[in-house]
Amino acid sequence: LDRFVSGAVDRISPEAPIPILRVGRETTMLGGAGNVARHLARLGADPVLVGPVGDDPEGRWLRALVPDGSLLVVLDDRPTTRKVRVLDGDADVLRVDRE
């Protein structure tokens, strides 16, 4: 699951030399193979995704988005893989991975 948090950095934190992002928009979409499957489906293909997801809100969201016939195995002992990219305009500022 990929999430993009975009906005503008217009100042640096007084507590540490790090940028402060003024959030303008947040977008969530299928990531990795899911992104490829989404593009293939738009071209008329019938992709099938196979892989693990966690028993968490992100896993439920993912299961609702994947193509019919896909096999997502729900695992209680791991979170759904998600990557959050923080963008200042078009420039990456930070990426947070949860795996």
Side-chain angles (χ1 to χ4, degrees):
L1 188 66
D2 284 354
R3 179 168 288 141
F4 295 86
V5 178
S6 59
V9 171
D10 51 15
R11 63 190 176 110
I12 301 297
S13 172
E15 297 142 359
I18 56 173
I20 297 174
L21 182 80
R22 186 172 20 90
V23 176
R25 185 173 67 153
E26 294 185 46
T27 307
T28 304
M29 63 183 63
L30 294 174
N35 189 38
V36 174
R38 183 172 56 94
H39 288 293
L40 288 171
R42 284 185 178 170
L43 293 172
D46 239 353
V48 173
L49 293 169
V50 178
V53 296
D55 186 19
D56 51 26
E58 290 82 4
R60 287 186 283 283
W61 193 87
L62 254 171
R63 290 193 310 272
L65 284 181
V66 298
D68 289 338
S70 294
L71 176 62
L72 297 182
V73 179
V74 180
L75 301 175
D76 295 334
D77 62 341
R78 63 161 288 176
T80 301
T81 299
R82 50 197 183 246
K83 299 175 187 308
V84 178
R85 292 168 178 85
V86 179
L87 308 169
D88 174 16
D90 292 331
D92 287 11
V93 175
L94 174 71
R95 186 172 114 177
V96 179
D97 291 1
R98 292 186 179 131
E99 301 178 293

